Amino acid sequence: MTQLDMRLKELARGERTPLPEGYRERFRERLESLPEKGLNRPRRLAAVAVAACLCVALMGAAAVGLMKVKVLLLDPAQGVSVQTEMTAYPPAERPEEFQAWWEEADLPGDVLTFAAIGEAREFLGVPLRDNPLVEEGLGAPLQMGYEAGGMVLRAEEFQVDGMPFQLEATVALWEEGVPADGWLTSGTDGHTRYTQEEYQMENGETALIVTDNTGGRYASPWNAVDAWFVADGVRYRVRFGDGGEPARYERQAELLEQVLDAFT
Amino acid sequence: MYRAARAVLDSDADAEDAVGQALLLAWQARKQAREPSAARTWLVAITVNCARRLRRERNRVMSCGDLEPILGGQEDRHYHELWEAVLALPPGEREVVTLFYYEDLTIQQTARALAIPAGTVKSRLNRARGRLREWLKEDET
């Protein structure tokens, strides 16, 4: 080892690397919140305690003609159920008619926005990046969906077990298979992928369930569990946020499994 | 772990995210850790991988701070600590310097952790030494 090496090692050892403020506390929290078990066990919930979550998924290609819309209702008493199935105009082609239909359909739940990719800006009225929803973290999946190509819709906040809980359904019509590793994190909102598991659906397709911390180290409502899955040849993405309680990953995964089951 | 992540990434916040991710991955894969003596290198390697992945994602966005080296202004800067000087090194050199000098890994361990040939570690270290030698001279004056 050269004199220079010795000197540099000596300096390095003598220095205290500056840590960001609060780093140690957050590190400790992370350590304490490490799950005892992974998420690799598809399980059934004994009872669903969702007050009123709505998961809407669009089925059918949006190329031409009418499209099918399937509404899933997560109900505390009944679990996940298919609420209704109907047809609508493909929003990418006829957004105004679709929106009119959407409002008239009076679907259960609090679906606020439907946006076809390509029309997202127009639907939201302001550029995505300037939209306050983006600031709240809700717009990030919208933006990701926007980048990926496909369709996006958004649900509002619900109460689950007395806690704020958010559900977001994003539907993208991918041309290829389940997004490769890294797609989730291709967004621009600081996503960090934590875990990834495959879930065998009853229709023979494989769903991909991913946990991520959309909000990074902050108490974000979107420490989330996502699922990508295939039904009727269309690829879907469903997201459950946790209201800022990262320890609820398993709970989110359970809910996702119910959605997946309901789809098949 | 933070230092290794920070050597790869250009922001404290990103480094912290990478550490969080690495922590969970390491926890989930803890049974794969072969022997306690290699655990440290293993953990550093996971952290570096997480940080690199994050860097690839972040490369799409350039912050104003990133523009500084391009636009100039680095020349007049004086670094009070070695760590500050290390952070100003090009990314590849920063990584090997951090693992070799700060994490006390050997050349071979550094190569394994960074998944690069040992020769590359040596050449990067050499280049970095040249820059740090200059810094040491300035510091002494």
Side-chain angles (χ1 to χ4, degrees), chain A residues 15-143:
Chain A
E15 259 185 27
R16 181 181 284 265
T17 306
L19 295 171
E21 195 178 338
Y23 174 84
R24 287 178 198 284
E25 290 74 18
R26 289 192 293 275
F27 187 84
R28 193 176 304 118
E29 279 172 22
R30 280 187 194 275
L31 273 179
E32 288 168 355
S33 68
L34 287 173
E36 283 298 316
K37 294 171 185 169
L39 293 171
N40 293 323
R41 294 174 295 109
R43 287 175 297 153
R44 301 286 182 275
L45 263 186
V48 181
V50 180
C53 280
L54 179 72
C55 171
V56 184
L58 305 175
M59 303 193 73
V64 288
L66 296 174
M67 62 191 304
K68 283 191 294 182
V69 177
K70 183 183 273 188
V71 178
L72 300 183
L73 183 67
L74 276 69
D75 179 82
Q78 299 175 13
V80 179
S81 62
V82 177
Q83 182 70 16
T84 184
E85 190 168 326
M86 54 189 83
T87 55
Y89 293 106
E93 304 219 337
R94 304 166 77 168
E96 288 176 7
E97 287 175 74
F98 183 87
Q99 193 172 30
W101 169 85
W102 189 256
E103 287 166 3
E104 197 178 320
D106 192 25
L107 297 172
D110 296 318
V111 176
L112 295 182
T113 307
F114 176 89
I117 294 307
E119 270 71 44
R121 286 168 186 272
E122 286 73 11
F123 264 81
L124 294 170
V126 290
L128 285 173
R129 280 195 178 279
D130 299 334
N131 194 298
L133 294 175
V134 175
E135 293 302 311
E136 293 166 18
L138 297 175
L142 265 180
Q143 195 161 332

Side-chain angles (χ1 to χ4, degrees), chain A residues 5 15 26 35 186 195 217, chain B residues 16 27-28 60 82 101:
Chain A
D5 276 340
E15 259 185 27
R26 289 192 293 275
S186 70
T195 64
R217 62 226 158 270
Chain B
E16 199 172 333
W27 175 256
Q28 288 170 335
R60 300 174 58 181
L82 175 61
Y101 291 114

Side-chain angles (χ1 to χ4, degrees), chain A residues 1 4-5 7-9 11-13 15 17-20 23 26-27 30-31 34-36 147 181 185-186 188 190-195 213 216-217, chain B residues 1-3 12-13 16-17 19-21 23-25 27-28 30 53-54 57-58 60-61 81-83 100-102 104-105 129 132-133 135-136 140:
Chain A
M1 188 172 286
L4 180 61
D5 276 340
R7 173 84 179 117
L8 289 172
K9 287 230 174 199
L11 277 171
R13 283 180 192 136
E15 259 185 27
T17 306
L19 295 171
Y23 174 84
R26 289 192 293 275
F27 187 84
R30 280 187 194 275
L31 273 179
L34 287 173
E36 283 298 316
E147 290 170 0
D181 180 52
T185 51
S186 70
T188 55
H191 295 241
T192 296
R193 175 171 291 193
Y194 278 164
T195 64
N213 71 332
R217 62 226 158 270
Chain B
M1 289 175 79
Y2 171 78
R3 201 161 42 202
D12 292 345
E16 199 172 333
D17 274 353
V19 168
Q21 187 182 17
L23 201 59
L24 192 70
L25 287 176
W27 175 256
Q28 288 170 335
R30 60 192 183 280
R53 190 193 299 178
L54 204 55
E57 292 148 16
R58 293 289 190 274
R60 300 174 58 181
V61 179
E81 302 282 353
L82 175 61
W83 181 242
F100 184 75
Y101 291 114
Y102 281 88
D104 245 349
L105 302 189
R129 280 188 192 109
L132 293 174
R133 186 181 287 117
W135 170 76
L136 280 172
E140 281 162 6

Side-chain angles (χ1 to χ4, degrees), chain B residues 78-96:
Chain B
H78 179 74
Y79 302 110
H80 299 282
E81 302 282 353
L82 175 61
W83 181 242
E84 292 176 43
V86 169
L87 289 182
L89 291 172
E93 294 173 28
R94 196 163 67 193
E95 291 171 14
V96 296

